[in-house]
Amino acid sequence: MKVIVLDNYQQISIKAAQIVASQIILKEDSILGLATGGTPVGMYSELVKMYKLGIIDFKKIKTFNLDEYVGLSKENQQSYYYYMMDNLFKHVNINIENIDIPNGMADIKEECVRYENEIKQSGGIDLQVLGIGHNGHIGFNEPDIKFESVTHLVKLDEDTIKANSRFFDSVDEVPKQALSMGIKTIMHSKKIVLIASGKEKAKAIYGTVKGNITPNLPASILQLHNDVYIIADKEAASLL
Ligand code: F6R
């Protein structure tokens, strides 16, 4: 685990974008695993800048996203599909057929099997970007998850619903369920970069880097992966 502590949000966004860009440059048909939420917004904006400068090309890139809310369509502005279009895909030359995000409107069982198979058939994720929840979740793998889980239906924790209500008009509008890659799916990625910003992530980052490996703090399993970057700003790294 390589831990990189930088001064502020902008610096972690640039660093994470550089790692993604380097993956794209080294392998033009890379399979990227992508995350949503507040944290990666700056990283996506840096990637768009690099694309516009001609530094990176998304023509042959394929992407999978970590998760999607159950019951939200692609057109819903709170869906993660919409978020990805808005923050990255519509600004770069990615082939829309190369984007895969769990479909929160599909038959749940079939969709989980389809998604996991698609990831396997693609040859596996070269680089997975992760954020981290206050409770140490990665993807929507909430505390007490089974480490051997693959793509599955998740009941979101109260803590996560509250944290994500900032993107909705009210807490009641936050879906209670999501589809998420499992811990095993994430751990199969060849390389992982986790980004964290702000003091409300400090406990989770401490547990991820220095705590016991435990399902109570799902991100702690990353200690067992052999190619992980943790990129945190000073506040998120303040307990290390
Ligand atoms: C998003 C995801 C989540 C978020 C986490 C942090 O696709 O899987 O694990 O990364 O909830 O969210 P923010 O960045 O909004 O604090």
Side-chain angles (χ1 to χ4, degrees), residues 9 34-41 44 65-69 80 83-84 128-142 160 163-164 166-167 179-181 186 194-197 200-201:
Y9 178 70
L34 299 175
T36 57
T39 316
V41 169
Y44 291 131
N65 263 74
L66 283 168
D67 37 28
E68 179 61 283
Y69 289 118
Y80 285 163
Y83 168 107
M84 287 309 303
Q128 175 68 55
V129 177
L130 298 175
I132 186 167
H134 304 177
N135 60 6
H137 74 208
I138 45 175
F140 275 139
N141 295 286
E142 302 284 30
T160 301
N164 287 5
R166 71 192 194 278
F167 301 114
L179 298 181
S180 176
M181 281 185 198
I186 294 170
L194 183 150
I195 44 177
S197 170
E200 63 284 3
K201 300 290 173 72

Side-chain angles (χ1 to χ4, degrees), residues 44-45 47-49 51-52 58 83-94:
Y44 291 131
S45 133
L47 284 171
V48 171
K49 275 190 217 161
Y51 165 72
K52 289 191 171 152
F58 287 82
Y83 168 107
M84 287 309 303
M85 290 306 290
D86 208 33
N87 283 290
L88 181 67
F89 297 150
K90 75 177 183 200
H91 307 288
V92 298
N93 66 336
I94 195 158

Side-chain angles (χ1 to χ4, degrees), residues 70-225:
V70 167
L72 298 194
S73 69
K74 289 177 175 180
E75 294 75 31
N76 189 308
Q77 294 195 11
Q78 318 299 343
S79 75
Y80 285 163
Y81 186 94
Y82 193 97
Y83 168 107
M84 287 309 303
M85 290 306 290
D86 208 33
N87 283 290
L88 181 67
F89 297 150
K90 75 177 183 200
H91 307 288
V92 298
N93 66 336
I94 195 158
N95 180 347
I96 211 93
E97 282 165 15
N98 287 346
I99 296 167
D100 204 342
I101 300 180
N103 180 354
M105 301 293 282
D107 175 274
I108 288 169
K109 253 192 179 160
E110 283 174 17
E111 180 61 6
C112 291
V113 173
R114 179 198 72 79
Y115 201 64
E116 200 64 29
N117 281 341
E118 289 289 340
I119 295 174
K120 269 195 200 125
Q121 278 164 21
S122 73
I125 292 169
D126 291 304
L127 172 64
Q128 175 68 55
V129 177
L130 298 175
I132 186 167
H134 304 177
N135 60 6
H137 74 208
I138 45 175
F140 275 139
N141 295 286
E142 302 284 30
D144 294 328
I145 183 72
K146 288 195 173 59
F147 281 150
E148 62 272 22
S149 63
V150 293
T151 303
H152 63 300
L153 175 69
V154 177
K155 184 176 169 299
L156 299 176
D157 271 9
E158 281 308 316
D159 188 45
T160 301
I161 291 172
K162 217 169 108 202
N164 287 5
S165 65
R166 71 192 194 278
F167 301 114
F168 291 79
D169 287 338
S170 80
V171 72
D172 299 333
E173 284 181 25
V174 186
K176 308 287 177 284
Q177 293 181 314
L179 298 181
S180 176
M181 281 185 198
I183 294 288
K184 191 168 169 183
T185 326
I186 294 170
M187 288 294 279
H188 269 300
S189 312
K190 290 164 198 138
K191 190 184 189 97
I192 294 175
V193 51
L194 183 150
I195 44 177
S197 170
K199 62 177 183 317
E200 63 284 3
K201 300 290 173 72
K203 255 192 180 163
I205 288 297
Y206 177 85
T208 302
V209 177
K210 295 205 168 155
N212 295 330
I213 299 172
T214 162
N216 289 332
L217 199 131
S220 62
I221 191 71
L222 298 175
Q223 291 174 28
L224 298 183
H225 193 284

